[in-house]
Amino acid sequence: MQQPTDQAAADLAAPLPGPPLHLPRPVRALAPTALVLLVLVPLAANDPDVGPTASPGTNAGLMALGALALALRRRHPAAVTAVTLLSGQLPLAVALYGLAARRGRTAPVYVLAALAGLRLLVPFDLGDVDAPSELANLIEDPLVFGAVPLALGLTSHQRARTVAVLAERNRLLGERNRLLEEARRHAEERAVAAERARLAREMHDVVSNRVSLITLHAGAGQVARAEDPAAVRETLGLIRALGLQALTELRGLLGVLTTSAEQAPSLRGLPALVEESRLAGLAVGLTVSGPDEGLPDPVPAVQYAAYRIVQEALTNAHKHAPAAEVAVTVEVAPDGLRLTVVNSPAADGDTEAAGGRADHPELPSGGHGLHGMHTRAGDLGGTLHAGPTPEGGFAVRARLPLGAA
């Protein structure tokens, strides 16, 4: 079914044209009664041809009865039409119109319309119809006071039904538009929230890793011997390089600089990432295998997520096990990219080192790193498990699809 366009919806929502003259309801209800009582009843009392009988008094009484019945035509249209069959032509026409307008094409309407036609033929002698003028007189009353009011009433009934259907359609269309607007607003709010969470996750990974390494190198610089200026210069150079890398990545995240897909972190950047951790004092080993011949490289989004997961795992190792040995394994297999970061049990001195020695100052933890890694893997349709190993160390294992989900 074709959906209505915005212009069609506006046309449907526009108010339908009503009668040009709006009289108060009591006036419209009692106007026919007043007209018959004031005009036709006195006329019937003086003219024996006005009415169904030859008695002027009887005709006036029947006309008055029909006029009073018309006051109830809105509540009891069928009964009023039956009563006006004994009255004059005008009350019968008004009652027949009201009946057709309220009941539409129903059996009682057609039955009473047929009776009205017979009633309007009563004054005529069908045997005297021998000229066109007399034939016209014969069909004039049934046509004017019977067929025309019936047709007008049925038309009014159909129009009222059309107006009701269009009003209901407008209501449903307005409700649908309201629901669509609410859904659009909720979708925008969810998109904004998801983007905020993504930016927060990216900034956490960048700041946590780079600043942690800067802090470690700064601690090493504090204990460097004054007679070894080369070591001090090397430490300051590393701090400067790490700071520039952090600023570059933050500018890219905030939109100040646009990082292309080729410049974004990927599996090619893992050796440099591991080397940075080695320079900060962490014993890290890296093993990368695959993909085999005929197997495609992981898409950039998957490589980017793998880089960030390794980065966060190394940051956690710096924080919680700075003297442990860490093994990073990356394998591109047919069932996906398998990623493992395992550190050995923390040495006895790790607690002291993490607690505030100058060369290993205490690094704060926000508690969002593991959640961010789980989110990265889940967003791509992969899985991630992180927890202690039986030997007392800690392991992060992830499987990411080669193509983004």
Side-chain angles (χ1 to χ4, degrees):
M1 178 178 179
Q2 185 177 4
Q3 297 295 333
T5 62
D6 293 341
Q7 182 61 39
D11 294 339
L12 289 175
L16 294 171
L21 179 62
H22 294 278
L23 296 175
R25 186 170 182 178
V27 174
R28 289 184 280 117
L30 298 177
T33 299
L35 177 64
V36 174
L37 290 176
L38 295 176
V39 178
L40 296 184
V41 171
L43 185 62
N46 296 308
D47 188 350
D49 293 334
V50 179
T53 71
S55 171
T58 302
N59 289 340
L62 293 176
M63 195 73 71
L65 176 63
L68 296 175
L70 289 178
L72 302 175
R73 69 187 186 281
R74 295 179 180 275
R75 293 188 177 181
H76 309 286
V80 170
T81 303
V83 171
T84 56
L85 289 173
L86 305 175
S87 183
Q89 297 166 333
L90 183 60
L92 177 57
V94 174
L96 188 60
Y97 168 81
L99 174 65
R102 283 162 179 77
R103 298 293 175 82
R105 300 176 183 274
T106 57
V109 172
Y110 290 122
V111 170
L112 289 171
L115 293 176
L118 293 175
R119 154 68 184 82
L120 294 171
L121 287 172
V122 167
F124 296 94
D125 185 359
L126 298 180
D128 295 336
V129 178
D130 55 1
S133 60
E134 292 179 354
L135 179 61
N137 291 333
L138 176 65
I139 65 174
E140 179 183 2
D141 284 356
L143 179 64
V144 174
F145 297 104
V148 171
L150 177 66
L152 292 176
L154 293 177
T155 302
S156 177
H157 177 79
Q158 185 61 37
R159 181 183 184 279
R161 289 188 59 185
T162 302
V163 169
V165 170
L166 290 178
E168 179 65 14
R169 184 176 180 183
N170 287 344
R171 187 189 67 81
L172 295 177
L173 184 61
E175 181 68 14
R176 190 202 69 169
N177 290 339
R178 184 186 64 82
L179 294 176
L180 289 176
E181 180 64 21
E182 289 184 358
R184 183 190 63 80
R185 187 174 66 253
H186 292 330
E188 289 179 353
E189 292 174 354
R190 289 194 298 270
V192 170
E195 184 64 13
R196 287 177 177 173
R198 186 189 71 82
L199 288 175
R201 189 166 59 246
E202 300 291 344
M203 293 184 69
H204 168 270
D205 289 347
V206 172
V207 172
S208 177
N209 180 264
R210 301 303 182 190
V211 175
S212 295
L213 294 178
I214 289 173
T215 303
L216 292 172
H217 285 299
Q222 284 182 321
V223 299
R225 294 190 300 272
E227 60 272 12
D228 191 2
V232 175
R233 284 195 301 270
E234 182 182 1
T235 301
L236 293 177
L238 290 173
I239 292 174
R240 181 177 181 276
L242 291 172
L244 289 175
Q245 291 176 4
L247 286 176
T248 301
E249 294 192 34
L250 286 176
R251 288 194 185 103
L253 290 176
L254 298 176
V256 178
L257 296 178
T258 301
T259 303
S260 65
E262 290 76 14
Q263 295 173 328
S266 63
L267 296 181
R268 292 190 300 271
L270 289 181
L273 180 67
V274 168
E275 184 61 26
E276 291 173 359
S277 293
R278 289 173 182 162
L279 293 175
L282 190 66
V284 186
L286 173 64
T287 303
V288 179
S289 60
D292 296 336
E293 184 177 355
L295 197 63
D297 289 331
V299 298
V302 173
Q303 297 195 39
Y304 180 79
Y307 180 93
R308 291 300 188 197
I309 291 173
V310 173
Q311 184 182 54
E312 180 60 28
L314 292 178
T315 300
N316 290 338
H318 279 292
K319 293 178 181 179
H320 305 295
E325 295 182 355
V326 182
V328 178
T329 304
V330 179
E331 178 186 3
V332 182
D335 62 342
L337 187 149
R338 296 184 174 275
L339 180 66
T340 305
V341 181
V342 182
N343 62 263
S344 62
D348 293 339
D350 281 356
T351 302
E352 179 185 357
R357 266 178 35 194
D359 56 340
H360 289 288
E362 182 179 3
L363 300 178
S365 176
H368 303 291
L370 292 179
H371 175 73
M373 288 192 287
H374 280 285
T375 303
R376 287 188 186 279
D379 288 345
L380 295 173
T383 58
L384 185 141
H385 301 282
T389 63
E391 295 79 12
F394 195 85
V396 175
R397 295 182 174 88
R399 187 189 65 81
L400 306 176
L402 298 182

